[in-house]
Amino acid sequence: MSPGEDGLIGIPFPEHSNDLLSRLNAQRRTGLLCDLTLTSRGTRYPTHRSVMAAVSLYFRRLFGAEEGDEVGESVGDGCSVCQLDCVSPDALAALLEFAYTATLTIRSSGMRDVLKGAQLLGIQCVADACRDILGEAGDDLANPVKEAEHLPSRRKQGRCSVARAVSPARPVSFIAPASEDTPEYGVLPTQGREAHAHRGLLINGAAHKSYRPEDTPSEEEESGAQGRATPHHSQSQQGDGAGGGATVGVRKRKSQTPQQCPVCQKIIHGAGKLPRHMRTHTGEKPFQCSACGVRFTRNDKLKIHMRKHTGERPYPCPSCPARFLHSYDLKNHLSLHSGDRPFECPLCHKAFAREDHLQRHRKGHSCLELRTRRPRRSPGPGASPPTEPFGLHQQHPDHMSAVAGLLEGHGGPGPGVPLLASARMPFPELLWRAVAGPLGKSLEKPEGGSSPHGSGSVTHRTWEEEDEEQEDAGEEEE
DNA sequence: CTGGGGAGGGGGCCC
DNA sequence: GGGGCCCCCTCCCCA
């Protein structure tokens, strides 16, 4: 971004929510910062009110954390122990585990207790999952929202030191339609890519289908714009559900490219690519191989897969009889014939034929040798350094600072910018992933000679500069 | 630890 | 704008 340009840049940190949740879980396990203790038949479970309010309608109401509640009137402010004898200890433990890990791990025999607990506490997605597995239809009693009407209202309950879920008072004036509550489950602090892609129930070691609150039709389904039914697309509701002011204009955004994923906030470039991306979250695999039954999220992947059955290998090596399924495999293979190893570790100078092997080499910290000689230069003009600047992102603070400066509108850590990215950014890899994601292409493949303010040219120059600087420093030392 | 194959996912181009 | 097709990058797995 050029100085003076005032555009907003959204830098996603897909791992943040996972990291956040795992740290909260660690705090819970050690009792750190726990401001709420749940008890069930004598067993105590320290936990965090904010987490419980986020995951449970019961606690939202108990703590006055419902949207629209007046700030500062929280009943829960004085509530440090919550006795939940109506929920079995095992079920409560499982629900707490779910709250902090987004994974429900239970025994089949305890399913019904967990279902009961989820209903009482207003954890709808868990209740749905349990009912689904138990093969029960969602009747009135099983409806967590209905059930939640039994849940305490801060208006009714008043300040208490012990909240009882046993025979809770009915709220006086509260009607919570399901559609109002369901999107809130979307804010469960596990929205990282992995968590969504792999969220599921672990029962007897088997992964079951993922559950997410999506009882209401998705945007596409509502508008009928989607030809193929995609029942899991309700993540888009997170954007325009729940009525956040920041989500105004979501429908317009849908018609634009690039589009932002409402789940992981990733920017998806290209018209019509968002539904394809959304399937990475939903796990939906509409394309099934007619030969072996394997399912794929994408038609083109199925097409490639079919080559295994047909024996078609459309990418033959011109130098040997080898044939390949993927063009990229052929490309990799050709480097064997040519002997090219264009991807060189800048520290130990080991050369690799494949970029991902270099990355693996560096990520595994197998390379601890300091640079002792100048790295091999690019073979010629137009041939940019193969992997850099990416290859430096973990071990090169100067480069990181350059990127940090870039993000802050500087070309690098110039005078008056006393920052080391590694100091300012505790997780440089996260930064790099963010930069290397939606915005990173321009960094990765700088357009030669274009845009003196372009991020790509800046980063590329940084690589060259750090190279020169290191050489200069080495000469000075000598 | 490294080389190689395969698969998942994103972007570009086109219809 | 949606979707097909292709290329590319990255990650995982296995030998």
Side-chain angles (χ1 to χ4, degrees):
Chain A
M1 178 173 60
S2 62
E5 212 175 295
D6 197 20
L8 287 175
I9 298 180
I11 304 174
F13 291 79
E15 303 300 323
H16 172 72
S17 48
N18 278 340
D19 290 343
L20 183 68
L21 196 60
S22 63
R23 286 185 173 79
L24 283 170
N25 196 25
Q27 291 178 5
R28 174 178 74 103
R29 294 186 181 285
T30 59
L32 185 64
L33 300 177
C34 288
D35 49 4
L36 172 67
T37 299
L38 306 182
T39 70
S40 172
R41 301 165 197 176
T43 308
R44 299 169 66 84
Y45 300 96
T47 181
H48 303 94
R49 291 140 60 102
S50 54
V51 173
M52 297 314 296
V55 76
S56 158
L57 180 58
Y58 171 86
F59 285 103
R60 270 200 298 284
R61 293 186 183 175
L62 179 64
F63 297 145
E66 283 279 296
E67 287 175 12
D69 284 346
E70 302 88 338
V71 178
E73 265 190 54
S74 170
V75 167
D77 286 350
C79 180
S80 59
V81 178
C82 185
Q83 183 177 336
L84 296 169
D85 286 345
C86 55
V87 181
S88 74
D90 286 347
L92 185 56
L95 290 171
L96 279 172
E97 197 71 18
F98 159 78
Y100 282 84
T101 65
T103 298
L104 186 64
T105 307
I106 52 178
R107 299 181 188 281
S108 301
S109 57
M111 187 81 65
R112 199 161 293 279
D113 282 345
V114 172
L115 170 60
K116 181 185 174 187
Q119 289 172 350
L120 283 168
L121 298 181
I123 308 176
Q124 182 173 352
C125 50
V126 172
D128 288 346
C130 292
R131 274 198 303 275
D132 197 352
I133 292 171
L134 289 170
E136 293 181 1
D139 55 12
D140 277 354
L141 265 181
N143 185 333
V145 175
K146 285 260 186 180
E147 194 75 22
E149 291 183 5
H150 299 280
L151 303 181
S153 161
R154 67 186 179 92
R155 296 175 178 85
K156 188 90 174 181
Q157 189 131 351
R159 297 196 175 273
C160 64
S161 60
V162 175
R164 291 179 181 273
V166 185
S167 304
R170 209 176 177 82
V172 175
S173 58
F174 187 89
I175 299 173
S179 59
E180 183 181 316
D181 283 310
T182 42
E184 295 191 27
Y185 294 99
V187 302
L188 277 176
T190 47
Q191 296 183 355
R193 170 178 157 188
E194 290 301 314
H196 277 278
H198 304 296
R199 182 184 304 170
L201 290 178
L202 300 178
I203 299 170
N204 295 335
H208 289 245
K209 76 174 190 181
S210 297
Y211 287 89
R212 53 192 79 243
E214 49 202 307
D215 295 332
T216 49
S218 70
E219 187 177 320
E220 284 90 352
E221 289 165 334
E222 262 183 347
S223 63
Q226 189 79 341
R228 181 183 296 106
T230 52
H232 295 294
H233 280 193
S234 63
Q235 285 85 348
S236 60
Q237 289 216 335
Q238 281 178 238
D240 56 359
T247 61
V248 172
V250 161
R251 288 183 183 277
K252 285 186 180 177
R253 188 176 58 198
K254 183 171 185 275
S255 65
Q256 295 173 348
T257 55
Q259 298 165 289
Q260 184 176 29
C261 171
V263 176
C264 66
Q265 276 67 51
K266 186 179 179 69
I267 304 298
I268 303 300
H269 299 267
K273 296 297 191 296
L274 186 56
R276 184 181 77 176
H277 167 81
M278 293 308 294
R279 286 199 287 268
T280 67
H281 296 302
T282 65
E284 183 191 11
K285 295 184 175 181
F287 306 99
Q288 184 171 23
C289 173
S290 56
C292 66
V294 176
R295 306 185 74 92
F296 296 88
T297 59
R298 289 164 51 168
N299 193 23
D300 52 345
K301 299 306 176 187
L302 172 60
K303 184 182 175 184
I304 292 174
H305 166 81
M306 290 306 292
R307 293 173 184 165
K308 292 170 71 175
H309 297 299
T310 63
E312 180 190 6
R313 286 176 172 262
Y315 302 98
C317 174
S319 305
C320 74
R323 305 178 69 92
F324 299 91
L325 289 173
H326 306 92
S327 60
Y328 203 68
D329 292 333
L330 173 60
K331 179 187 166 189
N332 290 331
H333 173 81
L334 288 177
S335 65
L336 297 179
H337 288 302
S338 65
D340 279 348
R341 287 173 173 265
F343 305 101
E344 180 177 311
C345 174
L347 293 179
C348 70
H349 300 288
K350 183 172 177 60
F352 297 86
R354 278 170 48 173
E355 184 177 3
D356 57 335
H357 286 169
L358 172 60
Q359 290 184 0
R360 183 177 62 183
H361 165 77
R362 303 203 57 176
K363 282 180 180 176
H365 301 287
S366 57
C367 171
L368 299 175
E369 299 177 38
L370 294 176
R371 184 198 304 226
T372 54
R373 65 173 175 86
R374 185 177 179 81
R376 186 168 57 193
R377 277 290 189 179
S378 303
S384 58
T387 57
E388 306 301 349
F390 280 97
L392 293 172
H393 73 277
Q394 287 183 319
Q395 294 156 329
H396 206 295
D398 284 347
H399 180 70
M400 285 303 303
S401 64
V403 176
L406 174 70
L407 293 175
E408 295 190 358
H410 299 283
V417 190
L419 64 88
L420 275 178
S422 55
R424 292 179 58 97
M425 309 292 265
F427 303 103
E429 182 158 17
L430 284 183
L431 169 65
W432 258 114
R433 283 186 173 277
V435 175
L439 305 174
K441 283 295 178 182
S442 58
L443 295 179
E444 188 178 5
K445 293 180 178 176
E447 299 293 335
S450 68
S451 173
H453 298 296
S455 55
S457 60
V458 170
T459 311
H460 189 185
R461 191 179 65 86
T462 301
W463 187 87
E464 296 287 356
E465 281 185 352
E466 67 88 16
D467 197 8
E468 299 292 345
E469 286 167 5
Q470 288 215 356
E471 183 184 47
D472 293 343
E475 288 171 356
E476 284 176 9
E477 285 175 4
E478 286 175 3

